[in-house]
Protein backbone atom coordinates (compact mmCIF):
# COMPACT_ATOMS: atom_id res chain seq x y z
CA UNK A 1 0.00 0.00 0.00
CA UNK A 2 1.49 3.33 -0.97
CA UNK A 3 1.30 5.94 1.75
CA UNK A 4 2.98 9.21 2.64
CA UNK A 5 6.06 8.22 4.67
CA UNK A 6 4.42 7.43 7.97
CA UNK A 7 6.59 6.71 10.94
CA UNK A 8 6.84 3.03 11.71
CA UNK A 9 4.24 2.12 14.29
CA UNK A 10 5.47 0.33 17.34
CA UNK A 11 3.06 -1.78 19.33
CA UNK A 12 4.98 -1.26 22.52
CA UNK A 13 6.26 2.14 23.60
CA UNK A 14 9.39 0.44 24.93
CA UNK A 15 10.30 -0.70 21.44
CA UNK A 16 10.40 2.81 20.06
CA UNK A 17 13.91 4.17 19.66
CA UNK A 18 14.77 6.74 22.30
CA UNK A 19 14.88 10.26 20.95
CA UNK A 20 18.18 12.11 21.06
CA UNK A 21 16.65 14.86 23.15
CA UNK A 22 17.25 17.57 20.59
CA UNK A 23 13.64 18.39 19.92
CA UNK A 24 12.42 21.72 21.23
CA UNK A 25 9.20 23.55 21.92
CA UNK A 26 8.75 27.26 22.42
CA UNK A 27 9.37 28.71 25.86
CA UNK A 28 5.88 30.17 25.81
CA UNK A 29 4.31 26.75 25.26
CA UNK A 30 6.08 25.49 28.37
CA UNK A 31 5.28 28.63 30.35
CA UNK A 32 1.59 28.44 29.48
CA UNK A 33 1.52 24.80 30.52
CA UNK A 34 3.34 25.50 33.77
CA UNK A 35 1.00 28.36 34.56
CA UNK A 36 -1.98 26.04 34.12
CA UNK A 37 -0.31 23.53 36.44
CA UNK A 38 0.05 26.19 39.13
CA UNK A 39 -3.43 27.60 38.60
CA UNK A 40 -5.03 24.17 38.74
CA UNK A 41 -3.24 23.36 41.97
CA UNK A 42 -4.31 26.66 43.47
CA UNK A 43 -7.90 25.49 43.16
CA UNK A 44 -7.12 22.27 44.97
CA UNK A 45 -5.50 23.63 48.10
CA UNK A 46 -6.27 25.89 51.05
CA UNK A 47 -2.84 27.17 51.90
CA UNK A 48 0.59 27.92 50.50
CA UNK A 49 2.35 24.97 52.07
CA UNK A 50 -0.04 22.56 50.38
CA UNK A 51 0.46 24.32 47.06
CA UNK A 52 4.22 24.03 47.34
CA UNK A 53 3.93 20.39 48.27
CA UNK A 54 1.73 19.61 45.26
CA UNK A 55 4.09 21.41 42.88
CA UNK A 56 6.97 19.56 44.44
CA UNK A 57 5.20 16.23 43.98
CA UNK A 58 4.61 17.03 40.33
CA UNK A 59 8.30 17.84 40.00
CA UNK A 60 9.29 14.66 41.81
CA UNK A 61 7.74 12.48 39.13
CA UNK A 62 9.52 14.51 36.45
CA UNK A 63 12.83 14.10 38.30
CA UNK A 64 12.50 10.35 38.65
CA UNK A 65 11.99 10.02 34.92
CA UNK A 66 14.70 12.47 34.00
CA UNK A 67 17.16 10.41 36.03
CA UNK A 68 16.29 7.22 34.16
CA UNK A 69 16.39 8.96 30.80
CA UNK A 70 19.69 10.75 31.32
CA UNK A 71 21.46 7.85 32.97
CA UNK A 72 20.66 5.74 29.97
CA UNK A 73 21.30 8.31 27.30
CA UNK A 74 24.08 10.54 28.62
CA UNK A 75 25.99 8.34 30.96
CA UNK A 76 25.73 4.91 29.39
CA UNK A 77 23.92 3.49 32.41
CA UNK A 78 26.69 4.26 34.90
CA UNK A 79 25.50 5.05 38.37
CA UNK A 80 26.81 7.82 40.57
CA UNK A 81 27.72 6.53 43.99
CA UNK A 82 29.43 9.56 45.51
CA UNK A 83 27.78 12.71 46.80
CA UNK A 84 29.80 15.14 44.74
CA UNK A 85 29.22 12.97 41.70
CA UNK A 86 25.46 13.12 41.93
CA UNK A 87 25.48 16.82 42.80
CA UNK A 88 27.62 17.54 39.80
CA UNK A 89 25.25 15.44 37.69
CA UNK A 90 22.29 17.51 38.83
CA UNK A 91 24.10 20.83 38.55
CA UNK A 92 25.48 20.19 35.08
CA UNK A 93 23.82 17.37 33.14
CA UNK A 94 20.27 17.63 34.44
CA UNK A 95 20.24 21.42 34.35
CA UNK A 96 21.77 21.50 30.88
CA UNK A 97 19.20 19.11 29.45
CA UNK A 98 16.16 20.61 31.14
CA UNK A 99 17.01 24.30 31.17
CA UNK A 100 19.57 24.65 28.40
CA UNK A 101 22.45 25.72 30.62
CA UNK A 102 24.35 24.50 33.67
CA UNK A 103 23.18 25.90 36.97
CA UNK A 104 24.76 29.18 38.03
CA UNK A 105 26.44 27.81 41.10
CA UNK A 106 26.80 24.83 43.40
CA UNK A 107 27.83 25.55 46.96
CA UNK A 108 28.27 23.64 50.15
CA UNK A 109 26.39 24.97 53.14
CA UNK A 110 28.61 26.62 55.72
CA UNK A 111 26.44 26.01 58.74
CA UNK A 112 25.48 22.39 58.24
CA UNK A 113 27.43 19.46 56.88
CA UNK A 114 24.45 18.00 55.09
CA UNK A 115 23.38 21.07 53.14
CA UNK A 116 24.21 22.00 49.57
CA UNK A 117 22.81 24.79 47.46
CA UNK A 118 22.27 25.13 43.75
CA UNK A 119 21.60 28.70 42.74
CA UNK A 120 20.12 30.20 39.66
CA UNK A 121 19.74 33.87 38.83
CA UNK A 122 16.33 33.30 37.25
CA UNK A 123 14.74 29.87 37.22
CA UNK A 124 13.16 29.05 33.89
CA UNK A 125 9.86 28.25 35.54
CA UNK A 126 9.79 31.61 37.32
CA UNK A 127 10.52 33.69 34.23
CA UNK A 128 7.00 34.91 33.73
CA UNK A 129 5.73 34.56 37.27
CA UNK A 130 5.40 37.26 39.88
CA UNK A 131 4.29 36.33 43.35
CA UNK A 132 1.59 38.51 44.91
CA UNK A 133 2.59 39.93 48.30
CA UNK A 134 -0.08 38.02 50.17
CA UNK A 135 1.49 34.73 49.19
CA UNK A 136 4.55 35.45 51.26
CA UNK A 137 7.51 33.23 50.56
CA UNK A 138 5.80 30.97 48.04
CA UNK A 139 8.12 29.98 45.19
CA UNK A 140 7.06 28.14 42.06
CA UNK A 141 10.61 26.86 42.07
CA UNK A 142 9.13 24.20 44.33
CA UNK A 143 8.54 22.37 41.07
CA UNK A 144 12.26 22.40 40.33
CA UNK A 145 13.01 21.44 43.93
CA UNK A 146 10.76 18.46 43.31
CA UNK A 147 12.67 17.55 40.16
CA UNK A 148 15.95 17.61 42.10
CA UNK A 149 14.45 15.54 44.89
CA UNK A 150 13.17 13.03 42.34
CA UNK A 151 16.61 12.70 40.76
CA UNK A 152 18.41 12.36 44.09
CA UNK A 153 15.90 9.93 45.54
CA UNK A 154 15.99 7.72 42.47
CA UNK A 155 19.78 7.72 42.57
CA UNK A 156 19.86 6.58 46.18
CA UNK A 157 20.56 9.93 47.86
CA UNK A 158 17.38 10.76 49.76
CA UNK A 159 17.14 14.42 50.65
CA UNK A 160 14.77 17.22 51.55
CA UNK A 161 14.86 19.81 48.80
CA UNK A 162 13.32 23.26 48.94
CA UNK A 163 13.40 26.40 46.84
CA UNK A 164 14.05 29.85 48.27
CA UNK A 165 14.26 33.37 47.01
CA UNK A 166 17.45 35.15 47.96
CA UNK A 167 17.45 38.89 47.36
CA UNK A 168 20.53 40.11 45.56
CA UNK A 169 21.90 43.60 45.82
CA UNK A 170 21.63 45.55 42.67
CA UNK A 171 19.16 43.13 41.12
CA UNK A 172 15.47 43.73 40.97
CA UNK A 173 14.44 40.09 40.93
CA UNK A 174 15.80 37.85 43.67
CA UNK A 175 17.96 34.88 42.91
CA UNK A 176 16.54 31.40 43.52
CA UNK A 177 18.42 28.88 45.62
CA UNK A 178 17.55 25.21 45.68
CA UNK A 179 18.51 23.97 49.13
CA UNK A 180 19.35 20.29 49.39
CA UNK A 181 19.51 18.70 52.81
CA UNK A 182 20.71 15.13 52.61
CA UNK A 183 19.41 12.41 54.90
CA UNK A 184 21.60 11.01 57.66
CA UNK A 185 22.16 7.73 55.89
CA UNK A 186 23.65 9.47 52.87
CA UNK A 187 26.30 11.22 54.94
CA UNK A 188 27.08 8.08 56.88
CA UNK A 189 27.53 6.12 53.69
CA UNK A 190 29.66 8.89 52.21
CA UNK A 191 31.90 8.84 55.28
CA UNK A 192 32.23 5.06 55.06
CA UNK A 193 33.27 5.25 51.44
CA UNK A 194 36.03 7.60 52.51
CA UNK B 1 6.39 51.09 3.59
CA UNK B 2 4.51 47.90 2.74
CA UNK B 3 3.94 45.59 5.68
CA UNK B 4 5.97 42.41 5.67
CA UNK B 5 4.01 39.35 4.61
CA UNK B 6 3.03 36.64 7.06
CA UNK B 7 6.07 34.96 8.57
CA UNK B 8 6.54 31.27 8.09
CA UNK B 9 6.23 28.99 11.07
CA UNK B 10 9.86 27.94 10.75
CA UNK B 11 11.10 31.51 10.79
CA UNK B 12 9.13 32.36 13.90
CA UNK B 13 10.15 29.19 15.69
CA UNK B 14 13.78 29.95 14.96
CA UNK B 15 13.36 33.36 16.55
CA UNK B 16 11.50 32.51 19.75
CA UNK B 17 13.15 31.25 22.89
CA UNK B 18 12.94 27.50 23.05
CA UNK B 19 13.19 24.87 25.73
CA UNK B 20 13.89 21.19 25.66
CA UNK B 21 10.81 19.31 24.52
CA UNK B 22 11.39 16.63 27.13
CA UNK B 23 10.86 19.08 29.98
CA UNK B 24 7.59 20.00 28.31
CA UNK B 25 6.61 16.38 27.78
CA UNK B 26 7.41 15.33 31.34
CA UNK B 27 5.65 18.36 32.85
CA UNK B 28 2.54 17.58 30.82
CA UNK B 29 2.74 13.99 32.02
CA UNK B 30 2.90 15.21 35.60
CA UNK B 31 -0.22 17.32 35.03
CA UNK B 32 -2.17 14.41 33.57
CA UNK B 33 -1.06 12.19 36.44
CA UNK B 34 -2.17 14.77 39.00
CA UNK B 35 -5.54 15.09 37.32
CA UNK B 36 -6.02 11.34 37.23
CA UNK B 37 -5.23 11.09 40.94
CA UNK B 38 -7.51 13.98 41.89
CA UNK B 39 -10.43 13.39 39.59
CA UNK B 40 -10.29 9.62 39.19
CA UNK B 41 -12.92 9.61 36.42
CA UNK B 42 -11.36 9.56 32.97
CA UNK B 43 -14.19 11.66 31.52
CA UNK B 44 -13.59 14.33 34.14
CA UNK B 45 -9.90 14.38 33.31
CA UNK B 46 -10.72 14.79 29.61
CA UNK B 47 -12.93 17.77 30.45
CA UNK B 48 -10.35 19.32 32.73
CA UNK B 49 -7.60 18.96 30.13
CA UNK B 50 -9.85 20.64 27.58
CA UNK B 51 -10.58 23.45 30.04
CA UNK B 52 -6.89 23.97 30.75
CA UNK B 53 -6.26 24.06 27.03
CA UNK B 54 -9.04 26.59 26.63
CA UNK B 55 -7.46 28.85 29.25
CA UNK B 56 -4.11 28.57 27.50
CA UNK B 57 -5.68 29.20 24.08
CA UNK B 58 -7.32 32.45 25.12
CA UNK B 59 -3.89 33.83 26.06
CA UNK B 60 -1.88 32.09 23.38
CA UNK B 61 -3.80 33.78 20.56
CA UNK B 62 -2.30 37.15 21.51
CA UNK B 63 1.20 35.86 21.16
CA UNK B 64 0.32 34.10 17.95
CA UNK B 65 -1.14 37.22 16.35
CA UNK B 66 1.75 39.34 17.55
CA UNK B 67 4.47 37.08 16.22
CA UNK B 68 2.88 35.69 13.08
CA UNK B 69 2.19 39.08 11.55
CA UNK B 70 -0.85 37.97 9.64
CA UNK B 71 -3.77 40.07 8.59
CA UNK B 72 -7.31 38.78 8.84
CA UNK B 73 -7.87 35.36 7.35
CA UNK B 74 -10.30 35.50 4.46
CA UNK B 75 -12.11 32.32 5.35
CA UNK B 76 -12.03 29.35 7.65
CA UNK B 77 -9.86 27.41 5.24
CA UNK B 78 -7.13 29.98 5.61
CA UNK B 79 -7.58 29.94 9.37
CA UNK B 80 -7.10 26.20 9.48
CA UNK B 81 -3.97 26.43 7.34
CA UNK B 82 -2.58 29.11 9.65
CA UNK B 83 -3.12 26.95 12.69
CA UNK B 84 -1.59 23.89 11.08
CA UNK B 85 1.40 25.49 9.42
CA UNK B 86 2.22 28.44 11.65
CA UNK B 87 0.53 27.85 14.98
CA UNK B 88 1.70 24.34 15.69
CA UNK B 89 5.16 25.12 14.39
CA UNK B 90 5.81 28.21 16.43
CA UNK B 91 4.69 26.72 19.72
CA UNK B 92 5.34 23.02 19.49
CA UNK B 93 7.91 22.88 16.73
CA UNK B 94 5.85 20.43 14.72
CA UNK B 95 3.72 20.82 11.62
CA UNK B 96 0.27 19.56 10.95
CA UNK B 97 -1.49 19.03 7.66
CA UNK B 98 -5.06 19.92 6.91
CA UNK B 99 -7.22 17.31 5.21
CA UNK B 100 -10.80 16.25 4.69
CA UNK B 101 -12.57 19.50 4.06
CA UNK B 102 -16.34 19.24 3.97
CA UNK B 103 -18.39 20.89 1.21
CA UNK B 104 -19.26 24.04 3.11
CA UNK B 105 -15.66 24.56 4.16
CA UNK B 106 -16.50 24.63 7.85
CA UNK B 107 -15.07 21.35 8.99
CA UNK B 108 -11.64 19.87 8.48
CA UNK B 109 -9.19 17.44 9.98
CA UNK B 110 -5.66 18.19 11.09
CA UNK B 111 -3.11 15.45 11.14
CA UNK B 112 -0.12 15.83 13.41
CA UNK B 113 3.02 14.20 12.11
CA UNK B 114 4.75 14.38 15.47
CA UNK B 115 3.41 15.06 18.89
CA UNK B 116 5.80 16.23 21.62
CA UNK B 117 3.17 15.62 24.31
CA UNK B 118 3.24 11.88 23.98
CA UNK B 119 6.89 10.90 24.07
CA UNK B 120 7.44 8.01 26.46
CA UNK B 121 3.68 7.66 27.01
CA UNK B 122 1.62 4.52 27.09
CA UNK B 123 -1.96 4.38 28.32
CA UNK B 124 -2.60 1.73 30.97
CA UNK B 125 -5.69 -0.45 30.77
CA UNK B 126 -7.42 1.58 33.45
CA UNK B 127 -7.25 4.76 31.34
CA UNK B 128 -8.46 3.58 27.99
CA UNK B 129 -11.08 6.31 27.71
CA UNK B 130 -8.54 9.05 28.22
CA UNK B 131 -7.81 11.56 25.48
CA UNK B 132 -4.27 12.20 26.65
CA UNK B 133 -3.71 15.20 24.36
CA UNK B 134 -7.08 16.80 24.97
CA UNK B 135 -5.33 19.99 26.01
CA UNK B 136 -4.61 20.65 22.33
CA UNK B 137 -8.33 20.65 21.53
CA UNK B 138 -8.92 23.23 24.21
CA UNK B 139 -6.07 25.43 23.00
CA UNK B 140 -7.44 25.61 19.47
CA UNK B 141 -10.98 26.16 20.70
CA UNK B 142 -9.93 28.91 23.13
CA UNK B 143 -7.71 30.67 20.64
CA UNK B 144 -10.37 30.69 17.90
CA UNK B 145 -13.04 31.88 20.28
CA UNK B 146 -10.94 34.97 20.99
CA UNK B 147 -11.06 35.78 17.29
CA UNK B 148 -14.80 35.40 17.07
CA UNK B 149 -15.09 31.81 15.97
CA UNK B 150 -17.00 29.27 17.96
CA UNK B 151 -15.64 25.84 17.19
CA UNK B 152 -15.81 22.27 18.29
CA UNK B 153 -12.51 20.41 18.35
CA UNK B 154 -12.33 16.69 18.92
CA UNK B 155 -9.92 13.82 18.46
CA UNK B 156 -10.66 11.59 15.53
CA UNK B 157 -7.59 9.39 15.76
CA UNK B 158 -5.16 8.92 18.61
CA UNK B 159 -2.06 6.73 18.48
CA UNK B 160 -2.24 6.12 22.22
CA UNK B 161 -5.63 4.55 21.68
CA UNK B 162 -4.42 2.27 18.93
CA UNK B 163 -4.81 4.36 15.78
CA UNK B 164 -1.97 5.12 13.43
CA UNK B 165 -1.84 8.90 13.68
CA UNK B 166 -2.94 11.92 15.68
CA UNK B 167 -5.89 13.52 13.94
CA UNK B 168 -8.05 16.38 15.19
CA UNK B 169 -11.35 17.48 13.79
CA UNK B 170 -11.96 21.22 13.84
CA UNK B 171 -15.54 22.23 13.14
CA UNK B 172 -16.62 25.83 12.83
CA UNK B 173 -19.96 26.23 14.59
CA UNK B 174 -20.50 29.91 14.04
CA UNK B 175 -18.81 33.25 13.64
CA UNK B 176 -19.64 35.46 16.57
CA UNK B 177 -19.17 39.13 15.73
CA UNK B 178 -17.29 40.96 18.46
CA UNK B 179 -19.55 42.86 20.79
CA UNK B 180 -18.55 46.14 22.28
CA UNK B 181 -18.63 45.88 26.06
CA UNK B 182 -20.15 49.32 26.37
CA UNK B 183 -23.71 50.21 25.54
CA UNK B 184 -24.20 53.20 23.26
CA UNK B 185 -26.31 55.19 25.63
CA UNK B 186 -24.03 54.92 28.67
Amino acid sequence: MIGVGKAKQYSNVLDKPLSKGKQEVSLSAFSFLFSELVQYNQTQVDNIAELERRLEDAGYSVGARVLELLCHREKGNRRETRLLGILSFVHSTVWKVLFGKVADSLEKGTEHEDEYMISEKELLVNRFISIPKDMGTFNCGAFVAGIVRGVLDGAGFPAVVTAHFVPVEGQQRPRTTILIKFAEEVLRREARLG
Amino acid sequence: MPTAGPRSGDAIFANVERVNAELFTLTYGAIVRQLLTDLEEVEEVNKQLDQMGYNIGTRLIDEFLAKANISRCVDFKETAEMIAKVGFKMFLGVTASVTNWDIEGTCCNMVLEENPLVDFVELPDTCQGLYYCNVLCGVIRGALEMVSMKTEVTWVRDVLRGDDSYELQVKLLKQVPQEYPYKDDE
Side-chain angles (χ1 to χ4, degrees):
Chain A
M1 188 163 84
I2 304 172
V4 181
K6 280 215 192 99
K8 180 164 167 220
Q9 296 306 319
Y10 294 90
S11 54
N12 188 337
V13 67
L14 291 171
D15 290 330
K16 271 175 75 177
L18 204 53
S19 73
K20 295 229 177 13
K22 295 275 177 282
Q23 218 194 342
E24 294 180 306
V25 298
S26 72
L27 173 61
S28 40
F30 174 72
S31 307
F32 278 125
L33 195 66
F34 186 70
S35 110
E36 280 306 310
L37 173 65
V38 177
Q39 285 182 65
Y40 168 73
N41 279 303
Q42 275 182 303
T43 65
Q44 300 289 313
V45 301
D46 298 319
N47 59 63
I48 310 269
E50 266 289 300
L51 183 55
E52 280 201 343
R53 201 187 55 79
R54 284 185 68 112
L55 282 183
E56 225 226 285
D57 283 344
Y60 184 86
S61 50
V62 175
R65 286 157 176 78
V66 161
L67 174 70
E68 295 293 329
L69 180 67
L70 294 186
C71 267
H72 177 69
R73 194 166 63 199
E74 314 274 334
K75 288 158 48 85
N77 286 325
R78 283 185 52 230
R79 237 169 25 109
E80 289 294 341
T81 49
R82 304 306 303 266
L83 197 65
L84 281 184
I86 194 68
L87 279 172
S88 159
F89 174 70
V90 171
H91 165 271
S92 311
T93 314
V94 175
W95 235 255
K96 185 102 206 315
V97 168
L98 291 182
F99 307 123
K101 59 183 270 296
V102 303
D104 285 344
S105 70
L106 171 63
E107 294 160 321
K108 189 166 150 61
T110 43
E111 287 156 47
H112 302 273
E113 271 305 303
D114 54 358
E115 283 181 358
Y116 288 82
M117 293 161 300
I118 294 182
S119 296
E120 187 76 18
K121 183 165 160 215
E122 178 86 67
L123 268 186
L124 189 80
V125 301
N126 281 338
R127 271 284 288 275
F128 302 112
I129 296 185
S130 54
I131 314 284
K133 284 221 168 41
D134 60 0
M135 288 184 89
T137 54
F138 172 64
N139 191 337
C140 288
F143 181 70
V144 177
I147 295 180
V148 175
R149 188 167 70 90
V151 172
L152 292 175
D153 218 26
F157 292 84
V160 173
V161 188
T162 46
H164 304 270
F165 280 125
V166 175
V168 174
E169 259 189 60
Q171 236 180 276
Q172 204 191 20
R173 304 254 292 174
R175 179 177 81 158
T176 307
T177 295
I178 307 286
L179 182 64
I180 304 170
K181 198 174 166 70
F182 286 104
E184 268 279 333
E185 57 188 273
V186 176
L187 298 164
R188 278 203 301 260
R189 185 179 68 209
E190 193 66 18
R192 258 205 325 274
L193 288 171
Chain B
M1 190 168 98
T3 52
R7 301 174 64 192
S8 81
D10 287 305
I12 307 172
F13 191 61
N15 277 330
V16 295
E17 276 190 74
R18 297 180 294 282
V19 299
N20 188 320
E22 284 164 353
L23 174 62
F24 182 73
T25 306
L26 292 173
T27 304
Y28 185 68
I31 293 177
V32 178
R33 250 194 316 277
Q34 260 195 347
L35 289 177
L36 282 168
T37 316
D38 293 339
L39 302 171
E40 286 169 26
E41 280 289 323
V42 158
E43 257 320 298
E44 285 301 314
V45 176
N46 285 338
K47 271 199 240 147
Q48 183 67 27
L49 284 174
D50 185 82
Q51 182 59 41
M52 283 178 151
Y54 180 84
N55 296 341
I56 293 177
T58 56
R59 295 161 65 196
L60 183 132
I61 184 70
D62 281 333
E63 186 172 338
F64 175 77
L65 291 173
K67 296 218 162 96
N69 198 28
I70 45 179
S71 49
R72 277 189 89 78
C73 287
V74 168
D75 59 9
F76 190 62
K77 285 199 171 173
E78 213 182 311
T79 309
E81 284 295 323
M82 277 288 126
I83 297 175
K85 296 281 172 283
V86 184
F88 273 109
K89 187 74 199 186
M90 75 189 256
F91 289 105
L92 295 180
V94 298
T95 39
S97 41
V98 184
T99 60
N100 249 15
W101 277 106
D102 71 345
I103 309 169
E104 290 107 50
T106 55
C107 184
C108 68
N109 286 10
M110 284 192 206
V111 183
L112 281 161
E113 275 121 54
E114 295 163 312
N115 190 342
L117 291 173
V118 302
D119 271 338
F120 321 127
V121 176
E122 188 177 51
L123 285 188
D125 291 326
T126 48
C127 298
Q128 287 304 315
L130 181 68
Y131 283 109
Y132 187 82
C133 311
N134 224 22
V135 75
L136 291 178
C137 296
V139 171
I140 296 177
R141 188 170 64 90
L144 287 178
E145 194 162 309
M146 290 296 113
V147 285
S148 319
M149 282 177 257
K150 264 199 142 34
T151 54
E152 197 179 80
V153 188
T154 46
W155 285 104
V156 173
R157 287 201 289 190
D158 188 338
V159 174
L160 292 176
R161 293 177 122 205
D163 301 311
D164 57 359
S165 64
Y166 290 101
E167 197 167 319
L168 283 166
Q169 187 186 74
V170 185
K171 188 154 133 186
L172 175 66
L173 297 175
K174 61 176 174 173
Q175 302 255 19
V176 185
Q178 277 192 329
E179 281 180 25
Y180 279 109
Y182 313 106
K183 288 206 175 36
D184 277 336
D185 50 4
E186 274 181 346

